[in-house]
Amino acid sequence: MKKEKSKRWVIVAVHFLAWALLGFVLMFYQPLSWGVKLPFSFWAKQTLNIGILAGLFYANMLYMVPSFLLKNKVPAFILWILCSVIALLLISKFVDLQLHVREQMDAVMRRPRPRHKGVIDGLLLMTSLLVLGVSTSLAVIHRWQKDAQIRESVEKQNITSELALLKAQINPHFFFNTLNNIYALTYTDVPVSRDAILKLSRMMRYLLYETQQDTALLSQEISFVKDYIELMKLRVQSSTTIIFDEVKTDQDYAMVPMLLLPFIENAFKHGISVMQKATIRIDLQVQEGLLTLSVLNNIFRDKDALNMESGGIGLVNTQRRLDLLYPEKHTLIIEENSDQNTYLVTLRVNLL
């Protein structure tokens, strides 16, 4: 609340200083440089002009642009601009005549009166067009920023929904199948089954609690990935080689949760086969805030590929998450080699 109030006062101060500067430069600086004592009527007229210009500025920015220009009512908006400028010029001329500004100025400046009194004040005309142009630009920019904020908010809501969907898809498929594997292990290898249950419980705790926040610790994300890989090893055939070196990090960082899993999950989904030999190589390094994930796997499109359940938010939606949450702070390179029948994903994210 205090932050919003402080921000509001800053905006008011900026507007006040801007008008003070505009009034001084366009309305007061040049007359003050003439070196004569100007009549009160002249300053009254100049002050009135500034007040009208300020009124036109805010009326145009706050009402006319949103009501007409941004709703594609261009002719009405142009009519408003013409009428407001003409009205300003007429009011200025009327005040000039009522206060006898021109006569008093002629007496002070000791100059002969012109034969023809022009109706249009060229300086005031250009100033009014400048003020209306600036207010129109500010109103349009403000609308663009507001629309961009709305789009970003919608995108974040979609990302949150996708993340919730990801967890919901992992829970019934991955966990139930893993439980079946653990159940079989209880008859053949009790210590391994106990270790698998511990890994599964850690993953469930991470999904249910840690991913509710906007960020999680890198160590938690790495632990989740390691547990996922270890549990997936229980499901694949002995013909599949999984290589995952111990992750090296210089320190712990905050990062978006569930960012790495889609790439690893994709490798298991498309890179293992029941009948053929396969290799999945996962390399994850973090140095000086730069996270680098490399996932290499074979591609199996035939019928003997392992029947993995569909799930997760997919690589396309993960790319959208990266674009939104790490703009200009990540690179994602996907290379498919048809000759070697391999699929390589390289992700680099600056966590600082």
Side-chain angles (χ1 to χ4, degrees):
M1 189 68 179
K2 291 183 178 180
K3 185 177 180 181
E4 291 294 329
K5 188 175 181 180
S6 176
K7 182 179 179 181
R8 193 179 303 114
W9 278 109
V10 170
I11 294 175
V12 171
V14 169
H15 278 250
F16 177 79
L17 292 174
W19 279 110
L21 179 62
L22 177 67
F24 178 76
V25 172
L26 295 181
M27 299 294 181
F28 299 102
Y29 174 73
Q30 186 177 5
L32 289 173
S33 66
W34 291 340
V36 296
K37 185 178 180 180
L38 299 175
F40 173 79
S41 59
F42 173 81
W43 298 117
K45 175 188 173 184
Q46 295 293 80
T47 303
L48 178 63
N49 288 341
I50 285 293
I52 296 176
L53 286 172
L56 291 177
F57 178 91
Y58 292 109
N60 184 64
M61 183 177 67
L62 300 177
Y63 180 74
M64 292 301 177
V65 174
S67 300
F68 294 100
L69 182 61
L70 296 180
K71 292 184 179 180
N72 294 324
K73 299 178 181 179
V74 179
F77 180 74
I78 294 176
L79 181 62
W80 144 254
I81 295 292
L82 294 176
C83 291
S84 61
V85 172
I86 293 173
L88 172 61
L89 295 175
L90 291 177
I91 292 173
S92 178
K93 186 65 177 179
F94 176 77
V95 172
D96 195 341
L97 295 175
Q98 293 298 314
L99 297 180
H100 305 287
V101 177
R102 184 177 292 274
E103 290 80 359
Q104 296 182 36
M105 289 294 296
D106 288 342
V108 171
M109 301 298 293
R110 298 178 181 178
R111 61 189 180 188
R113 297 181 62 182
R115 296 180 180 179
H116 176 70
K117 300 178 182 180
V119 177
I120 298 179
D121 185 336
L123 177 61
L124 185 60
L125 172 63
M126 297 303 298
T127 303
S128 62
L129 292 176
L130 173 65
V131 167
L132 290 172
V134 171
S135 65
T136 301
S137 302
L138 289 177
V140 172
I141 292 173
H142 181 266
R143 174 57 66 87
W144 285 345
Q145 291 176 340
K146 187 176 181 180
D147 291 343
Q149 290 176 352
I150 293 175
R151 288 194 298 270
E152 183 177 348
S153 177
V154 171
E155 286 290 335
K156 287 184 177 179
Q157 291 178 0
N158 291 338
I159 291 301
T160 302
S161 300
E162 290 168 357
L163 181 57
L165 178 61
L166 169 61
K167 292 185 288 184
Q169 290 173 328
I170 289 177
N171 287 337
H173 296 292
F174 174 77
F175 286 126
F176 288 147
N177 288 329
T178 303
L179 283 173
N180 288 333
N181 291 114
I182 294 174
Y183 175 76
L185 284 173
T186 58
Y187 289 97
T188 59
D189 198 331
V190 175
V192 174
S193 66
R194 289 176 179 174
D195 185 59
I197 292 174
L198 178 61
K199 290 181 173 63
L200 187 61
S201 66
R202 284 201 302 256
M203 293 184 66
M204 293 180 67
R205 186 181 302 109
Y206 181 74
L207 283 171
L208 293 175
Y209 301 110
E210 303 301 335
T211 58
Q212 300 300 323
Q213 308 299 322
D214 293 334
T215 60
L217 292 177
L218 173 63
S219 57
Q220 295 174 319
E221 185 78 0
I222 292 175
S223 177
F224 179 83
V225 168
K226 290 171 63 176
D227 289 340
Y228 177 84
I229 294 172
E230 291 300 320
L231 291 179
M232 285 301 300
K233 289 180 179 180
L234 302 177
R235 301 183 55 189
V236 300
Q237 305 295 322
S238 58
S239 59
T240 300
T241 302
I242 301 174
I243 304 173
F244 179 59
D245 296 329
E246 187 68 24
V247 181
K248 298 178 180 179
T249 61
D250 53 350
Q251 67 180 74
D252 215 352
Y253 298 92
M255 65 174 297
V256 176
M258 302 291 287
L259 191 65
L260 307 179
L261 181 65
F263 304 104
I264 299 172
E265 184 185 38
N266 187 72
F268 281 100
K269 182 178 179 180
H270 301 288
I272 51 183
S273 173
V274 176
M275 304 297 295
Q276 303 180 51
K277 290 185 178 181
T279 300
I280 296 178
R281 182 183 297 273
I282 303 169
D283 181 61
L284 178 61
Q285 301 293 332
V286 182
Q287 291 294 329
E288 298 181 356
L290 180 63
L291 181 149
T292 304
L293 172 68
S294 177
V295 182
L296 176 67
N297 61 271
N298 300 112
I299 303 175
F300 296 99
R301 297 187 177 91
D302 51 10
K303 295 182 179 180
D304 71 328
L306 186 64
N307 185 21
M308 292 283 291
E309 66 279 350
S310 62
I313 61 177
L315 297 185
V316 175
N317 289 344
T318 301
Q319 176 68 68
R320 292 203 299 112
R321 290 186 71 203
L322 287 166
D323 292 338
L324 180 62
L325 300 173
Y326 292 100
E328 299 181 359
K329 297 180 67 176
H330 78 278
T331 58
L332 177 61
I333 302 174
I334 299 177
E335 301 174 283
E336 183 174 351
N337 191 321
S338 302
D339 297 332
Q340 299 182 5
N341 204 33
T342 59
Y343 195 83
L344 174 63
V345 174
T346 303
L347 171 67
R348 294 182 179 88
V349 181
N350 186 359
L351 302 179
L352 294 178

